Amino acid sequence: MANLTAKTAFDGTLPIEIGAVSLTEMTHDSITWIAPHKGQMAKVSRALDKQVGADFPSPNTHQNGVVWFGPEQALVLSKGLKRIAGAAVVDQSSAWAVCALQGAGAADVLARLVPIDLRDSTFAVGAAARTLLGHMNCVLMRTGLERYEVMAFRSMAATCAHEIESAMTMVAARAETH
């Protein structure tokens, strides 16, 4: 019989610290996709609030582990979402790799990789976006003044870490020359 060993998505590639910025792996007990059926948004939002303490998110926001994922779609990062009447609920825990980029210069690192405006006035704490990181699809969340979480497909975890590490190296090198 085979002995299987559970590994995290970034197994062996994180943490990384370069200059004032660090990249660490985040693990969530579960990641669940939820989409209310037609006409059920208010009911589903109330049920979601009861379970996890957050309403269904507005576009491009996240709160208490509930992340906007597209029109009438969200990802719930929690201990596990119970079935909610009036919604499609699908466990996607094994599909995602999640990492946190933090420190002075984190926005400068991401600015080299994502095609969105990361200024405080546009992408404030609590903002979320489905975007690209290099050539990969990702979900980007701003979780602190100098802290971001990146969700990429698990199959792209090593590439995600490599892309961010390369940008961290460039930002640190630029800081040394100034």
Side-chain angles (χ1 to χ4, degrees):
M1 180 183 261
N3 289 326
L4 301 177
T5 303
K7 293 184 177 186
T8 62
F10 291 102
D11 185 58
T13 58
L14 298 182
I16 299 169
E17 190 168 330
I18 300 173
V21 182
S22 66
L23 183 65
T24 55
E25 183 167 18
M26 301 291 300
T27 56
H28 296 282
D29 292 332
S30 80
I31 299 173
T32 308
W33 174 81
I34 182 169
H37 299 152
K38 187 174 183 175
Q40 299 295 305
M41 178 60 81
K43 178 181 171 184
V44 170
S45 188
R46 286 190 302 275
L48 190 59
D49 186 37
K50 264 187 169 175
Q51 279 197 47
V52 300
D55 293 332
F56 208 88
S58 300
N60 299 311
T61 66
H62 70 90
Q63 152 185 326
N64 293 345
V66 182
V67 184
W68 178 84
F69 193 64
E72 299 189 8
Q73 300 176 60
L75 291 177
V76 181
L77 317 175
S78 70
K79 292 186 181 226
L81 191 63
K82 295 176 185 152
R83 186 180 183 290
I84 293 179
V89 177
V90 179
D91 180 20
Q92 294 194 351
S93 303
S94 61
W96 294 98
V98 186
C99 58
L101 182 70
Q102 59 189 6
D108 296 330
V109 169
L110 287 172
R112 294 174 175 266
L113 299 168
V114 299
I116 62 174
D117 185 350
L118 296 172
R119 290 178 294 176
D120 293 345
S121 60
T122 306
F123 202 75
V125 175
R130 286 183 70 172
T131 186
L132 294 173
L133 184 118
H135 64 281
M136 296 167 285
N137 289 310
C138 76
V139 176
L140 179 65
M141 296 172 279
R142 182 138 185 217
T143 57
L145 290 177
E146 295 180 335
R147 187 175 189 283
Y148 300 83
E149 285 188 28
V150 177
M151 296 178 66
F153 294 123
R154 184 183 181 101
S155 61
M156 300 299 289
T159 302
C160 178
H162 173 75
E163 293 286 332
I164 295 172
E165 180 180 20
S166 295
M168 289 168 69
T169 301
M170 289 185 272
V171 167
R174 184 171 181 174
E176 286 180 14
T177 62
H178 286 87

